[in-house]
Amino acid sequence: MSIKTAIVNGVQTIEIARPEKKNALTRAMYQEMADALVTANADNAVRAVLIQGQPQIFTSGNDIEDFMGSPPRDEDAPVFQFMRAMVGCDKPIVAAVNGAAIGIGTTLLLHCDFVYVADDARLAMPFVSLGLVPEFGSSLLVPRLMGPRRAAEKILLGDPFTGEQAVECGVANAVLPAGEVVAHARRIAERFNKLPPSAVRESKQLMRRSTKEELLATIQAEAEIFSVRLRSPEATEAFQAFFQKRQPDFSKF
């Protein structure tokens, strides 16, 4: 199984477990994660959600072959179901990040309530270099977190950043040694077993109330442009270069 789920001590764990493919996400994996989030949100026994990858990698983002073979075409696509499930989850979501978190591996962190990163973590949003645009509300949330100058470095240039930089710019809570990240994140998630669940949910709803409509509208706008960009000559060149293991040539555009 590429997504492992389990409910232990009040915590719904969602583990990305495809290390042989650098934890690249397929349609089936997005669907499994979306279903797990929806189930967790409705289950009174679940007090928090923990999302983790493998000791060497969180996720390299979309599985390019799977993605190009059947790109998301409407709001029912598994990736959009996953996005809506994360935005709609009223229970605390905690992320534990080891190694690389690329593309949606970084943007999904923007929707978590707590993010703990390993000292070997490397985050990046290389959408533009693939001829695409940012997704999952990152065009709204990243400038708000980092300010427009840093956001331009991360989104327009696709500059990678470290765990320490993620903490500095508000994406993560803390950096820990690689071997301690998951255990620490689980301890944080389990703290919600001792807190009143309705108060937690309603407090989270209030904290996100002012931005939720704007966020959902941004996700929709990004998705529409992203879909068009997927069929663009620039994206075609970028993906051909990826498969051919060469540098893309955008000089003709």
Side-chain angles (χ1 to χ4, degrees):
M1 293 179 63
S2 297
I3 298 294
K4 297 180 181 178
T5 61
I7 298 174
V8 179
N9 195 22
V11 177
Q12 167 73 75
T13 301
I14 300 173
E15 179 184 350
I16 308 170
R18 199 186 178 209
E20 72 281 3
K21 293 291 186 179
K22 298 184 178 179
N23 275 5
L25 298 167
T26 64
R27 288 166 291 160
M29 293 167 71
Y30 280 122
Q31 189 65 63
E32 290 179 68
M33 292 193 294
D35 292 345
L37 284 164
V38 170
T39 298
N41 203 40
D43 187 345
N44 291 335
V46 175
R47 299 301 181 93
V49 175
L50 172 62
I51 301 177
Q52 65 185 77
Q54 297 298 295
Q56 296 80 27
I57 189 164
F58 186 62
T59 173
S60 58
N62 285 314
D63 182 302
I64 300 297
E65 289 189 48
D66 180 85
F67 189 67
M68 295 307 294
S70 183
R73 300 188 186 281
D74 56 51
E75 61 183 21
D76 290 328
V79 64
F80 296 132
Q81 291 187 46
F82 168 68
M83 290 180 183
R84 289 196 301 273
M86 280 206 76
V87 173
C89 185
D90 295 327
K91 297 180 181 181
I93 302 176
V94 185
V97 180
N98 287 85
I102 309 300
I104 199 166
T106 291
T107 60
L108 75 81
L109 302 177
L110 305 172
H111 303 276
C112 295
D113 302 287
F114 303 86
V115 177
Y116 299 97
V117 294
D119 49 16
D120 66 351
R122 292 294 180 273
L123 294 76
M125 295 175 282
F127 304 112
V128 170
S129 65
L130 292 172
L132 304 173
V133 294
E135 36 83 315
F136 211 171
S138 54
S139 63
L140 172 71
L141 298 177
V142 173
R144 285 190 177 176
L145 274 175
M146 304 183 184
R149 308 296 178 270
R150 288 184 182 178
E153 291 176 343
K154 306 300 184 290
I155 290 178
L156 297 182
L157 293 177
D159 284 355
F161 51 111
T162 65
E164 288 184 358
Q165 290 170 324
V167 172
E168 182 187 354
C169 63
V171 173
N173 293 77
V175 179
L176 295 102
E180 299 176 15
V181 175
V182 172
H184 180 81
R186 176 164 288 280
R187 285 194 295 271
I188 295 298
E190 289 178 350
R191 286 179 61 179
F192 289 97
N193 288 320
K194 297 182 179 179
L195 292 171
S198 294
V200 169
R201 287 196 303 272
E202 290 170 6
S203 295
K204 176 172 175 174
Q205 289 169 357
L206 286 168
M207 289 169 67
R208 302 197 172 207
R209 177 174 173 270
S210 64
T211 58
K212 189 170 183 179
E213 242 180 74
E214 187 179 13
L215 175 59
L216 290 171
T218 300
I219 291 173
Q220 179 64 33
E222 289 171 342
E224 290 172 2
I225 299 171
F226 196 100
S227 179
V228 173
R229 294 295 315 162
L230 272 175
R231 300 185 294 275
S232 70
E234 291 175 348
T236 298
E237 166 61 17
F239 286 118
Q240 285 179 347
F242 174 84
F243 288 122
Q244 295 166 6
K245 298 185 184 335
R246 61 173 174 81
Q247 287 295 315
D249 179 9
F250 298 120
S251 62
K252 56 192 173 187
F253 300 114

